[in-house]
């Protein structure tokens, strides 16, 4: 059962091979059984899930089922869910029972899907290893010593361990693609503006984008069909028609032009990882694609630029966490300043505080031009690199990460070495482009991810390119033995 | 030493939209605390702003009215600081790319000359909530109903040189925003507020002195007093050998003084940056052309017309254009009465506005309509009634007894112009008062008044005093 | 780029974060390390480059001026740390 894809599950529900209630209970049991070790969920919502399942069964019985009706899903704990704790992985929001739904959650509710619970994540989505969560680290199902990646580590781990059929993530600098790569699943970060950010707790507003985390490209397309689309509540969400993302999956790749940025294969890339990616590229050549070496000359500036823009935006976005209207408030504040400083000092973890401080510094008087303005200019250069590249190629490919999953604590206490693990994913967010990671081999027993970057709003092509690869390889079907 | 003051005003006009600038919550004044604060206004996690079209339209309207440059592309920025009435920890405002750029406003000085005051910019932003300090056992209560109400912050150049000029400028804007119907101008409710940047310098010096910002000025009287007070304070300090500290001062109307605001003491570092949740606001020329068509006749143009075309004196015209409703009322009176504009102006300004002020009513709620007042003035002009009787008719109209003609008829107030009848009354009175008549004949002119008074009394005021005068002279000196 | 203790204290205050005395050296070290990473930007000549604030070149969409949100005070304040008579309570604010 738990190896079935979303379309297989939907078929089973339609054909009444099992009910949504049974399916939901099955996954709740698997969570119960396995998540004690994995810690991929912050909150499991069995009662709500079963009630939703019952409602879904009624819809299905009435023949009103859609692609996701009755299908249990895991939601990253960054999406506000009415009546359910929405912690964002932080002590700050440990007591925050959201009084409204994120638009993404609304869309899944309307589609009749079932929410199993809220997945673990780096605190306020700041991290690449899930080590910054207030609720403890998530283990990588492939190897409990290894990090699952971050920030959507819980969402990646639960899908990899097949304790949820699919999940949602958010990606600000790689937070969908990197954990997807490290856990051996498929993750898609759509074009900025494709999915509403309303009710998705903001980290860096000009970079954040939600997306699906699934077992394969077809499932990602099914999820995206529900998640994408205009939302009047989000000024940055575009009013652009949503195609059926499953429609182009079977298109042939004959003549597809793939660009390989030389900067993505330079020093810093693990040798075995490079081989895995090379092998994947060869598969594409067999499928009829042509390869072209390209250059994204400002790649090396992506991480520095990101670590100005994202902290600057987050320092402002997180100011609302002040202990006044919701969330954590310190004990017995003596005055207003004490209320602010201790509520925030005690409520936020170290990495979050560091980034807030970097951001406040970069925006402060006398530094704005050298940091923030400069970063915005380089962001433009990085974006221009991609524009030039897409004038020549259809998609860009490379590794999602420089190395497979590392071990807990391995990045030590220097935040910068952790930041560099997002070196290949960050530029995509700066430019606002869509990017995917698909399983593409194993390196030392841990998954390797192939990153596919598309042009703006070219998600259908990305999914097609990923799907075709998954028709001729089985990396996406492999899973950690214990959970198969 | 001779000192001169340099004053710049920042005026916050709450835009008269139904909903907030970035959310769909109501902006109505006076609701129960926090009942008009939605998730966006409360700065809850994950929620996002969407800009209110009407707020942009109103800003553009204002820009057109002061002949300002309106930015084809303006940008919202975040002004970051922590304060309990600021739920998000930042105010969404505009910084280097405001919607309305440089414009001008003309004020009338005491001697009647005009002075052009530059408007540096007018930008859109959101209002904050309110802190209530009383009755919470040592705690402060926060009401966020006002949070997110659209504001147009209108910033003047430091070109005002006295409290008088500052008030004149502010009044001018106050009239303008109400003409444009973009702000209700209610200062008591805080719809129209002002912060003043005040500095002094020796006359002739070019560079500006250190300024203090005086906040909390919510009436014209307070502005005048607060600015004068601040000017005196600064001069006193400098003449005493001290220096002015750049700071924010709060005007306390109870004590009539300004005092330093402790909470704002530290140098602020607002860390402005473009708001990533909002995109650039693009305003196209065709949009402005549409708005331009909806602009009313503006007060300056109206005033000029009243003086040049209708022949009013400048001060009367000034009063009449002080609100669009009053000007419209006046013009309706002129039309309905077909009487000279001067008489109409006099009746509107003295009688009507006087009565409205006495009963604390707005002109829009006047018990006497413009058509009714026009009907009354018409009867004065055609000599049906005297000015004196007209006041009586006005009082009856105010009391709701109907229009002028009805009242004149019902109370039999028509002026008596039948000279035969008046002569009969005069004869009777002369006969009654032979001694006084003799005195008048012998040159005691003030006796004239006595006889006119007697005749008016005998006719219950319905005789025409001029006519009585004339007939009396004829009888006495014949 | 290396931050001193006073810099850390200043930024922490600006961001209203309580940082305890013993934590300061670690913050100073980590923040300095991040700022050194960021310093790489300064090697690039960006003269004449338009700053990019947003990935999409799109104009702000405008919302019709309609009241769509009703009173939800009870629901919102159910999760508030301290309220009374419908107000959020904070320690006394001195102006």
């Amino acid at each position: 059962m738990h190896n079935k894809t979303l379309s297989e599950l939907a078929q089973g529900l339609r054909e009444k091979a099992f009910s949504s209630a049974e399916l939901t209970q099955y996954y709740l049991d698997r969570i119960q059984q396995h998540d004690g070790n994995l810690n991929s969920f912050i909150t499991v919502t069995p009662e709500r899930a079963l009630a939703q399942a019952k409602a879904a069964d009624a819809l299905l019985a009435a023949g009103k089922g859609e692609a996701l009706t009755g299908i249990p899903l895991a939601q990253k704990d960054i999406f506000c869910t009415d009546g359910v704790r929405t912690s964002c992985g932080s002590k700050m929001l440990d007591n925050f029972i959201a009084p409204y739904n994120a638009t993404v959650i609304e869309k899944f509710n309307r589609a009749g899907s079932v929410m199993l619970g809220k997945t673990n994540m780096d605190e306020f989505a700041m991290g690449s290893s899930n080590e910054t969560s207030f609720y403890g680290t998530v283990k990588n199902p492939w190897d409990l010593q290894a990090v699952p990646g971050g920030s959507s580590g819980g969402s990646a781990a639960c899908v990899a361990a097949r304790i949820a059929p699919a999940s949602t993530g958010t990606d600000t600098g790689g937070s969908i693609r990197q954990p997807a790569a490290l856990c051996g699943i498929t993750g898609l970060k759509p074009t900025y503006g494709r999915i509403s950010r309303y009710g998705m707790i903001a980290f860096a507003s000009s970079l954040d984008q939600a997306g699906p985390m699934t077992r394969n490209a077809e499932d990602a397309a099914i999820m995206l069909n529900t998640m994408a689309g205009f939302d009047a509540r989000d000024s940055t969400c575009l009013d652009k028609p949503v195609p059926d993302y499953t429609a182009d999956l079977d298109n042939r790749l004959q003549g597809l032009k793939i660009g390989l940025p030389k900067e993505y294969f330079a020093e810093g890339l693990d040798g075995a990882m490079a081989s895995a990616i090379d092998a994947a590229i060869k598969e594409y050549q067999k499928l009829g694609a042509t390869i072209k070496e390209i250059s994204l000359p400002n790649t090396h500036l992506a991480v520095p630029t990101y670590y100005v823009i994202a902290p600057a935006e987050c320092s402002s976005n997180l100011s609302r966490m002040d202990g006044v209207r919701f969330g954590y408030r310190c004990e017995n504040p003596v005055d207003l300043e004490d209320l602010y400083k201790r509520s925030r000092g005690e409520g936020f973890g170290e990495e979050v505080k560091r980034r807030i401080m970097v951001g406040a510094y970069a925006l402060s008087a006398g530094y704005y031009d050298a940091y923030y303005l400069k970063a915005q200019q380089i962001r433009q250069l990085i974006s221009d690199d991609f524009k030039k590249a897409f004038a020549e190629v259809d998609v860009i490919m490379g590794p999602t990460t420089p190395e497979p999953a590392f071990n807990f604590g391995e990045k030590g206490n220097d935040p910068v070495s952790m930041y560099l693990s997002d070196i290949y994913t960050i530029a995509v967010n700066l430019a606002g482009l869509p990017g995917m990671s698909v399983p593409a081999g194993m390196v030392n027993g841990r998954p390797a991810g192939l990153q596919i970057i598309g042009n703006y709003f070219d998600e259908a092509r990305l999914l097609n390119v990923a799907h075709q690869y998954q028709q001729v390889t089985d990396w996406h079907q492999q899973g950690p033995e214990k959970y198969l | 030493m001779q000192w001169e003051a340099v004053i710049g005003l920042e005026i916050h006009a709450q835009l008269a939209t139904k909903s907030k600038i970035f959310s769909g919550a109501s902006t109505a004044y006076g609701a129960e605390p926090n009942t008009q604060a939605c998730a966006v206004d409360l700065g809850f996690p994950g929620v996002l702003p969407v800009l209110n079209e009407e707020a942009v339209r109103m800003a553009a309207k204002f820009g057109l009215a002061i002949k300002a440059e309106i930015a084809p592309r303006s940008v919202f920025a975040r002004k970051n600081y922590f304060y309990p009435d600021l739920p998000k920890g930042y105010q969404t405002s505009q910084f280097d790319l405001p919607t309305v750029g440089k414009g001008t406003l003309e004020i009338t000085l005491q001697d009647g000359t005009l002075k052009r005051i530059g408007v540096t910019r007018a930008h859109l932003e959101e209002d904050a909530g309110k802190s209530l300090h009383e009755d919470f056992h040592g705690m402060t209560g926060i009401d966020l109903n006002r949070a997110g109400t659209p504001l147009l912050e209108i910033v003047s150049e430091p070109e005002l040189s006295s409290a008088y000029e500052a008030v004149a400028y502010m009044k001018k804007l106050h009239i303008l925003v109400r003409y444009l119907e973009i702000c209700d101008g209610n200062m008591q409710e805080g719809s129209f507020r002002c912060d003043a940047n005040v500095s002094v310098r020796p006359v002739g010096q070019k560079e500006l002195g250190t300024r203090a910002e005086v906040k909390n000025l919510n009436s014209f009287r307070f502005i005048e007093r607060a600015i004068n007070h601040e000017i005196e304070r600064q001069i006193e300090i400098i003449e005493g050998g001290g220096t002015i500290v750049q700071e924010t001062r709060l005007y306390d109307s109870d004590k009539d003084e300004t005092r330093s605001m402790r909470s704002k003491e530290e140098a602020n570092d607002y860390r402005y940056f473009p708001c990533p949740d909002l995109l650039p606001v693009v305003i196209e020329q065709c949009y402005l052309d549409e708005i331009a068509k909806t602009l009313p006749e503006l007060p300056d143009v109206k005033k000029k017309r009243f003086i040049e075309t209708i022949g009013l004196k400048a001060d009367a015209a000034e009063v009449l254009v002080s609100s669009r409703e009053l000007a419209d009322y006046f013009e309706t009176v002129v039309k309905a009465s077909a009487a000279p504009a001067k008489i109409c102006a006099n009746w509107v300004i003295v009688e009507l506005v006087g009565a409205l002020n006495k009963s604390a009513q707005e002109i829009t709620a006047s018990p006497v309509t413009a058509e009714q007042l026009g009907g009354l003035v018409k009867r004065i002009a055609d000599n049906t009634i005297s000015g004196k009787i007209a006041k009586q008719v006005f009082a009856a109209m105010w009391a709701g007894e109907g229009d002028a003609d009805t009242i004149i008829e019902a109370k039999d107030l028509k002026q008596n112009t039948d000279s035969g009848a008046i002569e009969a009354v005069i004869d009777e009175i002369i006969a009654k008062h032979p001694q006084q008549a003799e005195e008048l004949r012998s040159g005691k002119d003030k006796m004239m008044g006595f006889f006119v008074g007697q005749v008016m009394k005998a006719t219950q005021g319905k005789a025409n005093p001029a006519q009585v005068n004339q007939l009396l002279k004829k009888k006495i000196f014949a | 780029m290396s931050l001193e203790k006073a810099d850390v204290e200043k930024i922490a205050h600006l961001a209203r974060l309580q940082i305890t005395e013993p934590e300061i050296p670690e913050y100073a070290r980590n923040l300095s390390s991040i700022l050194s990473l960021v310093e790489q930007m300064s090697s690039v000549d960006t003269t004449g480059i338009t700053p990019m604030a947003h990935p999409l070149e799109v104009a702000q969409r405008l919302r019709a001026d309609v009241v769509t949100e009703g009173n939800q005070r009870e629901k919102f304040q159910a999760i508030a740390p301290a309220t009374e008579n419908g107000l959020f309570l904070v320690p006394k604010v001195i102006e």
Side-chain angles (χ1 to χ4, degrees):
Chain A
M1 180 87 110
H2 55 265
N3 280 312
K4 287 191 194 311
T5 65
L6 294 184
S7 59
E8 287 163 355
L9 290 175
Q11 194 184 357
L13 287 169
R14 263 198 316 276
E15 291 169 355
K16 303 201 167 49
F18 43 82
S19 68
S20 173
E22 286 163 345
L23 181 63
T24 301
Q25 190 58 57
Y26 178 83
Y27 274 101
L28 287 170
D29 291 345
R30 270 187 75 79
I31 292 170
Q32 176 83 23
Q33 187 189 345
H34 295 291
D35 207 45
N37 281 333
L38 292 173
N39 196 30
S40 65
F41 282 86
I42 289 173
T43 306
V44 181
T45 51
E47 283 167 29
R48 186 186 164 104
L50 290 168
Q52 285 182 324
K54 221 174 133 188
D57 280 329
L59 281 177
L60 288 161
K64 288 181 190 159
E66 296 170 31
L68 288 174
T69 306
I71 298 201
L73 300 171
Q75 304 290 354
K76 188 176 181 180
D77 205 19
I78 199 169
F79 295 102
C80 286
T81 38
D82 198 349
V84 178
R85 172 174 65 182
T86 302
S87 75
C88 223
S90 181
K91 178 181 177 185
M92 184 60 93
L93 295 179
D94 183 46
N95 62 3
F96 179 64
I97 312 294
Y100 45 84
N101 278 326
T103 297
V104 163
I105 300 293
E106 282 290 332
K107 285 180 178 258
F108 279 119
N109 285 349
R110 256 180 270 138
S113 74
V114 173
M115 182 176 89
L116 292 167
K118 309 291 292 288
T119 61
N120 203 344
M121 55 182 285
D122 278 298
E123 185 180 7
F124 286 110
M126 298 178 201
S128 308
S129 64
N130 232 292
E131 289 168 296
T132 73
S133 170
F134 174 63
Y135 300 92
T137 56
V138 178
K139 309 286 187 299
N140 190 320
W142 291 86
D143 182 343
L144 299 185
Q145 304 299 310
V147 304
S151 66
S152 312
S155 287
C158 71
V159 173
R162 285 128 170 96
I163 61 175
S167 66
T168 55
T170 61
D171 189 317
T172 305
S175 282
I176 287 174
R177 290 159 290 157
Q178 185 254 20
L182 269 46
C183 289
I185 65 163
T186 300
L188 167 64
K189 180 208 97 77
T191 308
Y192 183 85
R194 180 73 288 188
I195 296 176
S196 169
R197 293 186 298 114
Y198 185 85
M200 183 178 113
I201 298 175
F203 161 15
S205 313
S206 78
L207 302 163
D208 296 343
Q209 186 64 194
M213 302 182 74
T214 55
R215 297 253 308 288
N216 63 32
E218 185 192 14
D219 285 2
I222 292 168
M223 292 279 280
L224 187 61
N225 277 346
T226 293
M227 296 173 80
F230 176 68
D231 179 13
R233 289 177 180 269
D234 176 1
S235 300
T236 65
C237 181
L238 294 201
D239 192 359
K240 210 173 159 60
V242 179
D244 176 358
Y245 289 107
T246 61
D248 291 342
L249 291 174
D250 294 329
N251 289 0
R252 302 285 306 279
L253 299 187
Q254 194 66 42
L256 179 80
K257 282 179 262 172
I258 299 173
L260 302 180
K262 60 177 190 220
E263 293 81 4
Y264 284 28
F265 296 87
E267 75 167 283
L269 178 61
D270 177 277
M273 180 66 84
S275 308
I277 301 306
D278 285 344
I281 302 298
K282 291 214 167 66
E283 289 296 336
Y284 276 105
Q285 285 176 303
K286 280 192 230 160
L287 288 167
T290 58
I291 305 301
K292 184 178 169 63
E293 188 189 270
I294 58 165
S295 175
L296 298 169
N298 293 294
T299 296
H300 65 291
L301 294 168
V303 173
T305 301
Y306 177 88
Y307 278 97
V308 172
I309 290 172
E313 293 185 12
C314 96
S315 72
S316 178
N317 282 336
L318 297 191
S319 290
R320 65 188 63 195
M321 316 285 166
D322 60 4
V324 175
R325 299 163 316 287
F326 56 83
Y328 179 78
R329 170 181 264 190
C330 67
E331 295 272 341
N332 304 317
V334 298
D335 58 22
L336 190 61
E337 186 163 314
D338 189 43
L339 167 73
Y340 285 147
K341 288 190 173 172
R342 278 202 293 129
S343 297
R344 291 166 58 78
E346 294 163 12
F348 291 136
E350 268 179 41
E351 178 62 19
V352 171
K353 283 187 267 193
R354 270 199 292 269
R355 295 203 196 184
I356 289 175
M357 288 168 76
V358 169
Y361 184 75
L363 291 173
S364 65
Y367 298 99
Y368 182 88
D369 286 2
Y371 289 105
Y372 189 73
L373 200 66
K374 187 89 181 176
Q376 282 198 326
Q377 289 174 311
I378 296 178
R379 184 177 188 178
Q380 186 66 60
L381 295 176
I382 289 168
S383 180
D384 290 346
D385 285 351
F386 281 109
K387 269 194 197 100
K388 275 175 217 146
F390 280 115
E392 296 180 45
V393 299
D394 300 317
V395 292
I396 293 169
M397 287 188 191
T400 306
T401 60
E403 54 180 7
F406 45 88
N407 289 344
F408 289 107
E410 193 182 312
K411 296 290 172 185
N413 52 12
D414 177 15
V416 171
S417 66
M418 182 75 80
Y419 297 171
L420 293 172
S421 62
D422 292 330
I423 190 158
Y424 303 135
T425 49
I426 269 177
V428 167
N429 299 78
L430 290 169
L433 294 164
M436 263 188 104
S437 181
V438 292
M442 299 295 285
V443 172
N444 307 326
R446 296 177 184 181
L450 168 74
Q451 183 175 215
I452 313 168
I453 302 168
N455 209 340
Y456 295 102
F457 295 98
D458 215 3
E459 285 82 3
R461 191 201 298 261
L462 281 191
L463 289 161
N464 164 231
V465 168
H467 181 71
Q468 289 304 304
Y469 175 73
Q470 291 178 339
Q471 299 311 297
V472 294
T473 58
D474 70 347
W475 298 113
H476 63 288
Q477 283 166 344
Q478 298 185 15
E481 224 165 90
K482 190 176 161 195
Y483 304 96
L484 286 176
Chain B
M1 191 178 299
Q2 284 278 78
W3 297 94
E4 74 173 353
V6 179
I7 302 156
L9 296 186
E10 288 166 16
I11 286 167
H12 291 89
Q14 277 185 353
L15 296 177
T17 56
K18 294 185 199 76
S19 64
K20 294 191 175 167
I21 184 166
F22 298 122
S23 83
S26 168
T27 55
Y29 180 82
E32 283 294 301
N34 292 309
T35 56
Q36 287 177 181
C38 71
V40 173
D41 309 318
L42 292 171
F44 268 36
V47 299
L48 296 168
V50 184
L51 182 57
N52 186 336
E53 177 191 13
E54 200 55 30
V56 176
R57 182 187 301 277
M58 287 177 170
K61 211 168 169 185
F62 176 78
L64 289 172
I66 62 161
K67 298 193 168 49
E69 303 153 12
I70 293 165
R73 183 176 171 278
S74 51
V75 168
F76 281 96
R78 293 183 181 177
K79 178 181 181 180
N80 294 283
Y81 65 97
F82 287 88
Y83 209 67
D85 65 14
L86 189 73
K88 298 186 296 298
Y90 57 83
Q91 181 192 29
T92 308
S93 182
Q94 295 182 317
F95 187 52
D96 49 0
L97 294 167
T99 297
V100 180
K102 276 186 192 309
T104 52
L105 205 68
E106 234 170 27
I107 59 169
T108 309
L109 302 182
Q110 275 141 311
D111 64 4
T113 57
L114 298 175
K115 179 174 176 181
R116 288 170 80 105
I117 305 298
V119 172
T120 316
R121 57 186 281 160
H123 62 256
L124 284 164
E125 62 182 23
E126 57 184 343
D127 208 342
K130 279 181 185 164
S131 304
L132 302 159
H133 305 296
E134 303 83 24
D135 300 334
F136 300 103
H137 26 255
M139 304 282 275
T140 291
I142 307 296
D143 174 11
L144 296 169
N145 278 349
R146 197 179 68 175
T149 299
L151 289 178
L152 188 65
E153 179 175 334
I154 305 158
V155 182
S156 84
E157 291 289 324
E159 293 176 350
L160 300 156
S161 333
S162 67
Y164 179 88
E165 287 183 17
V167 171
Y169 168 85
M170 192 170 172
K171 279 188 174 162
K172 198 72 191 265
L173 270 183
H174 189 242
I175 290 168
L176 184 62
V177 295
R178 285 177 303 138
Y179 260 71
L180 298 171
E181 294 174 322
I182 63 171
C183 173
D184 68 17
N186 190 325
M187 295 173 81
Q188 215 132 42
E189 291 176 3
S191 304
F192 193 78
R193 322 193 287 268
C194 171
D195 299 338
N197 287 303
V198 180
S199 67
V200 296
R201 63 181 171 193
V203 171
Q205 180 182 302
K206 265 212 151 158
E207 56 271 32
L208 297 170
T210 306
R211 66 189 159 87
E213 186 181 9
V214 187
K215 282 195 178 288
N216 201 24
L217 305 174
N218 58 5
S219 85
F220 295 121
R221 197 158 50 98
F222 291 165
I223 290 157
E224 182 144 22
R225 276 163 43 179
I227 290 175
N228 279 330
H229 176 278
E230 183 57 24
I231 293 169
E232 280 167 35
R233 189 188 70 89
Q234 292 188 13
I235 293 173
E236 223 167 90
I237 289 174
I238 300 170
E239 290 188 338
T243 49
I244 305 298
V245 186
Q246 182 165 346
E247 61 179 349
T248 304
R249 300 182 68 84
L250 196 67
Y251 178 67
D252 184 332
S253 58
D254 293 335
K255 295 180 185 155
D256 187 23
E257 62 176 29
T258 64
R259 60 182 158 84
S260 191
M261 277 175 86
R262 274 194 282 167
S263 59
K264 306 246 171 171
E265 234 169 74
E266 61 175 294
N268 280 311
D269 186 345
Y270 291 126
R271 289 158 287 142
Y272 278 100
F273 75 107
C275 178
D277 288 328
L278 291 162
L279 299 162
V281 179
V282 172
I283 296 180
E284 284 165 2
Q285 190 56 44
C286 56
Y287 178 79
L288 293 179
D289 293 343
E290 279 306 309
I291 295 173
K293 283 186 205 152
T294 69
L295 284 185
E297 183 184 29
L298 296 178
D300 282 351
V301 177
K302 207 184 271 292
K303 184 180 164 190
K304 202 169 165 223
R305 178 166 62 83
F306 282 2
I307 295 169
E308 292 176 1
T309 320
I310 309 192
L312 292 184
K313 289 229 171 77
D315 50 354
E318 176 103 29
V319 174
L320 289 172
V321 302
S322 67
S323 89
R324 199 165 149 183
E325 291 80 11
L326 185 62
D328 288 349
Y329 189 104
F330 162 71
E331 295 210 77
T332 307
V333 172
V334 173
K335 208 168 153 198
S337 68
K342 266 187 191 165
I343 308 176
C344 297
N346 198 46
W347 270 87
V348 170
I349 293 169
V350 180
E351 301 302 328
L352 179 81
V353 173
L356 288 171
N357 287 347
K358 215 160 153 190
S359 62
Q361 273 173 297
E362 293 293 327
I363 186 141
T364 44
S366 171
V368 176
T369 66
E371 285 78 9
Q372 285 178 321
L373 187 59
L376 175 63
V377 176
K378 184 176 189 163
R379 293 301 165 228
I380 302 167
D382 69 9
N383 274 326
T384 306
I385 54 172
S386 68
K388 196 171 168 197
I389 289 290
K391 286 183 191 179
Q392 205 181 318
V393 177
F394 180 78
M397 276 165 55
W398 188 269
E401 292 174 29
D403 61 26
D405 286 348
T406 312
I407 294 164
I408 291 166
E409 187 70 26
K411 300 200 168 188
D412 190 20
L413 296 173
K414 226 179 226 164
Q415 192 157 252
N416 191 345
T417 51
D418 173 357
S419 52
I422 296 171
E423 279 177 48
V425 175
I426 291 174
D427 289 342
E428 202 177 303
I429 286 171
I430 292 174
K432 243 189 195 169
H433 303 284
Q435 198 192 323
Q436 285 88 340
E438 198 45 48
E439 285 177 23
L440 182 58
R441 263 186 215 105
S442 62
K444 207 166 178 185
D445 284 353
K446 69 175 179 188
M447 270 305 148
M448 197 70 194
F450 168 78
F451 279 101
V452 174
Q454 287 298 313
V455 174
M456 292 308 286
K457 198 173 161 191
T459 58
Q460 281 129 23
K462 284 183 284 185
N464 182 321
Q467 195 183 9
V468 171
N469 230 308
Q470 187 200 339
L471 293 173
L472 240 167
K473 279 181 185 157
K474 199 173 92 186
K475 291 274 175 198
I476 296 283
F477 302 108
Chain C
M1 189 70 210
S2 173
L3 291 184
E4 304 292 322
K5 178 167 179 271
D7 298 321
V8 175
E9 286 171 336
K10 196 184 137 209
I11 306 166
H13 174 69
L14 202 55
R16 297 297 186 277
L17 292 170
Q18 189 185 55
I19 303 290
T20 61
E21 194 70 24
E23 291 175 312
I24 292 178
E26 171 115 7
Y27 274 102
R29 190 169 59 245
N30 283 326
L31 295 180
S32 300
S33 156
I34 297 167
L35 291 173
S36 304
L37 166 79
V38 162
E39 282 301 301
Q40 290 175 39
M41 296 192 310
S42 62
S43 65
V44 187
D45 180 9
T46 51
T47 316
I49 305 291
T50 310
M52 176 174 164
H54 231 275
L56 305 171
E57 284 167 34
V58 180
Q60 175 64 36
R61 173 161 41 82
L62 301 175
R63 174 179 65 79
D65 181 25
V66 181
V67 175
T68 53
E69 303 293 319
N71 174 21
Q72 290 196 73
R73 184 173 82 180
E74 208 172 314
K75 189 172 187 186
F76 291 149
Q77 292 198 339
I79 50 167
T83 59
E84 193 173 312
N85 298 337
L87 297 158
F88 295 98
L89 293 188
V90 296
K92 186 116 191 131
V93 176
I94 305 149
E95 280 190 329

